[in-house]
Amino acid sequence: MYLAANGHLVVLGTAGSGKTTMAVRRARHLAGAPGIGGPTLLLTFNRALVTYLKSSGARAPGLTVESYHKFALGYLSSVTGQPVQVCKIKDVLVEKALTEVRATTQRAVATRPLEFFLDELHWMTGHGVTAEATYLSGVPRIGRGRPLAPADRAVVYEVYRRYLALRTAAGLSLDWDDAASQVLSHLQSDTRPRMYRHIVIDEGQDFTPEMIRSLAAAIPEGGSLTFFGDYAQQIYGSRMSWRSLGLSVTGKVEFEQNYRNSRQVARLAQAMSEMPHFHDEVDLVSPRTPTADGPLPTLVTLPSKAEQLAQAAAYANGLAADRRVAVLMRTRAQEAVLKRYLDPRHRHYRIHRDLTSWPQGPGIFYGTYSAAKGLEFDSVILPLCDADELPKPSEIAAHGLEEAMAREARQLYVAITRARSELIILRSGQLTTLLPDAMSDLFHSLSS
């Protein structure tokens, strides 16, 4: 909270170590501290977390709390003098561009699914690698499991080029992915006084490199940028030096104590992070074992997948009278099925970006793993943790098994570490290989 009020600061912590709590407190302090205070921006990655932060005390004179993209669009509107229109049909336009390219090449990479190209374009813009010569020169694709031959990169770049042409023809100049690069480009020549003296980033591991670079450019001389993050929860996957992100960092503060999870939940999360598919060169903070006690994570085996969402809802209905319970799933498609089984006598809420207020008290929350980032619940229930569900087959098709496992492991890690004391995992067949062996002493097993 009282770290220096100038320059770039990095705080890394394990899950449940209080990063969000301290991000809120630091932002409030920087907004109002005599002499060093000034307009302060507290940023996080999605709108649901913005709502959660505001309910967690992130309100003070001089403090603004918003998502990165709201900040970006607001800044770009101030530059152009008019509202900025964002391309919301990127997948449609990229698919059309891909169809055109497939008609002109025999390269096998062109047969890869749309998801691969959407993800590669996201990586390009997120890392600021959009100049043709740079991308084709063989610049390391940091965070990518499979290498791409130069001829394959040329195919990808042609898809990108045609996508841009289609977007321009639709009268649109940016999408959610390249907004950060446009913000950075304008800030580098913008001589107007900066709007904020201090910027605090919460859940910074999900910000792309270009987002972080743009925020480093958004503070004035004598201002501060504070980055709070946990690279074990990093979903978009990249390993970058702080300097390459535009930050001048001489040292890091690390939060090692896990205050959220019980010892049993934390042991499972730690065992996950030590599995081979989880290993890369990110900055992981080794947690201290929590002191809070709780039950072992329960592994429930059901006869069929069709029964898993119904049973997950039954568990949630039974716990919701006096607990905050979350049922977390890998995809949005599973939410509507689950909702049919929820008891209307209990309050229940879908976790999504348009939540305008954060519910208090007991109840049932449901949503995807990624939607639950930064949140915590007394009990967490995870249906469909079967080997043929996780990693998602579409992720394997797009990225190959090795990279898909690395990505999906972080998604599941996020879901598991949302649980304060009670964790229930459901399966019908073989347990996902993203988790330790079902016969280990990390689980209490039940069959139904």
Side-chain angles (χ1 to χ4, degrees), residues 137-351:
S137 69
V139 60
R141 295 163 62 252
I142 297 170
R144 319 298 279 164
R146 283 186 183 180
L148 274 183
D152 291 338
R153 290 192 186 217
V155 172
V156 173
Y157 200 86
E158 185 58 26
V159 172
Y160 175 63
R161 189 200 321 276
R162 295 194 186 208
Y163 158 67
L164 292 182
L166 291 167
R167 191 179 74 184
T168 300
L172 299 167
S173 61
L174 83 164
D175 58 43
W176 294 120
D177 288 339
D178 59 13
S181 291
Q182 295 198 24
V183 170
L184 176 59
S185 176
H186 285 293
L187 281 170
Q188 288 171 335
S189 59
D190 191 344
T191 59
R192 296 177 298 171
R194 297 300 191 240
M195 180 175 290
Y196 300 104
R197 182 173 182 178
H198 305 289
I199 295 178
V200 178
I201 303 172
D202 182 45
E203 299 291 343
Q205 71 276 355
D206 285 337
F207 283 51
T208 67
E210 284 289 90
M211 289 179 183
I212 297 170
R213 293 177 191 127
S214 69
L215 294 172
I219 60 170
E221 185 176 353
S224 72
L225 176 68
T226 312
F227 175 106
F228 286 84
D230 174 4
Y231 275 84
Q233 296 185 51
Q234 187 176 39
I235 286 175
Y236 76 87
S238 70
R239 163 65 166 160
M240 305 284 286
S241 71
W242 297 113
R243 186 165 297 279
S244 72
L245 296 177
L247 304 184
S248 177
V249 177
T250 57
K252 302 188 298 289
V253 175
E254 294 189 347
F255 291 174
E256 299 174 351
Q257 184 64 53
N258 182 339
Y259 298 101
R260 176 195 302 141
N261 307 127
S262 67
R263 182 169 63 253
Q264 291 78 3
V265 171
R267 279 183 63 220
L268 175 58
Q270 181 67 16
M272 280 187 68
S273 71
E274 293 171 353
M275 295 175 73
H277 54 260
F278 212 107
H279 285 175
D280 58 17
E281 295 180 357
V282 299
D283 290 319
L284 294 179
V285 176
S286 297
R288 295 177 185 167
T289 303
T291 58
D293 197 26
L296 282 172
T298 301
L299 180 59
V300 180
T301 304
L302 295 167
S304 70
K305 288 184 184 179
E307 299 174 64
Q308 290 192 47
L309 291 175
Q311 185 61 60
Y315 284 135
N317 293 333
L319 294 167
D322 59 357
R323 297 173 73 82
R324 294 170 70 83
V325 185
V327 182
L328 302 180
M329 296 150 284
R330 183 62 186 89
T331 69
R332 288 281 185 207
Q334 296 154 353
E335 294 177 345
V337 178
L338 175 88
K339 185 178 179 180
R340 296 202 300 262
Y341 299 111
L342 296 178
D343 189 335
R345 291 174 295 181
H346 297 302
R347 298 189 303 166
H348 50 81
Y349 314 92
R350 184 170 74 88
I351 308 168

